[in-house]
Amino acid sequence: MRPFGELEADVMRVLWAAADDGPVTIHTITDALNTEGRNLAYTTVMTVTERLRAKGWLTREKVSRSFRYSALRTADDYSAQLMTEALDSSADRAGALLRFAGRLDAAEAAALRQALDALPGDDAAERPGAGS
């Protein structure tokens, strides 16, 4: 998976932010993007949105004479996929993970520790470095 381009990422941010409100139209997406100081054409946003749908990131439903779009995957799914691919490209996954973990602030490290401890079937005592 290639990372999103700038406009793709912006469209996805609009859709992720609107997730609780339900599917949105191209007009809604265009208006949200243009409030950020842009002047994007409806057709440009429609093209990018359709490309994201073709890539499997969006779904659409016909409502009256227009389509409404919603994200199929979350922002967290996207970030996790990018992180997995970065690790897959590393010759030393453990080393890359350690460098990543070393860059976390205290709250992020605590959240990661809690998430690891909550993994099913995981025995913290068996993990390297546990208890240190």
Side-chain angles (χ1 to χ4, degrees):
M1 174 189 87
R2 293 185 53 196
F4 292 141
E6 181 182 347
L7 189 51
E8 288 177 325
D10 291 341
V11 167
M12 290 304 297
R13 274 193 281 284
V14 169
L15 288 162
W16 285 325
D20 290 341
D21 299 329
V24 297
T25 64
I26 297 294
H27 281 293
T28 302
I29 299 168
T30 304
D31 290 348
L33 294 172
N34 285 339
T35 60
E36 299 171 357
R38 292 178 163 160
N39 190 20
L40 295 169
Y42 173 91
T43 54
T44 300
V45 176
M46 182 174 60
T47 299
V48 170
T49 304
E50 277 300 312
R51 285 185 181 156
L52 286 165
R53 186 178 72 82
K55 292 178 181 180
W57 283 95
L58 304 178
T59 186
R60 72 179 185 187
E61 61 184 65
K62 184 122 174 145
V63 177
S64 187
R65 292 178 19 178
S66 65
F67 289 106
R68 294 181 186 265
Y69 295 83
S70 56
L72 285 171
R73 295 186 257 171
T74 67
D76 290 343
D77 291 335
Y78 175 68
S79 295
Q81 181 66 35
L82 290 176
M83 292 168 71
T84 299
E85 289 178 9
L87 284 172
D88 288 346
S89 71
S90 174
D92 179 10
R93 284 176 67 103
L97 278 169
L98 288 173
R99 287 182 187 259
F100 173 74
R103 294 178 181 176
L104 300 176
D105 65 30
E108 293 166 336
L112 178 58
R113 202 170 285 113
Q114 183 178 8
L116 290 171
D117 289 342
L119 289 174
D122 186 35
D123 185 359
E126 293 179 12
R127 275 201 311 271
S132 46

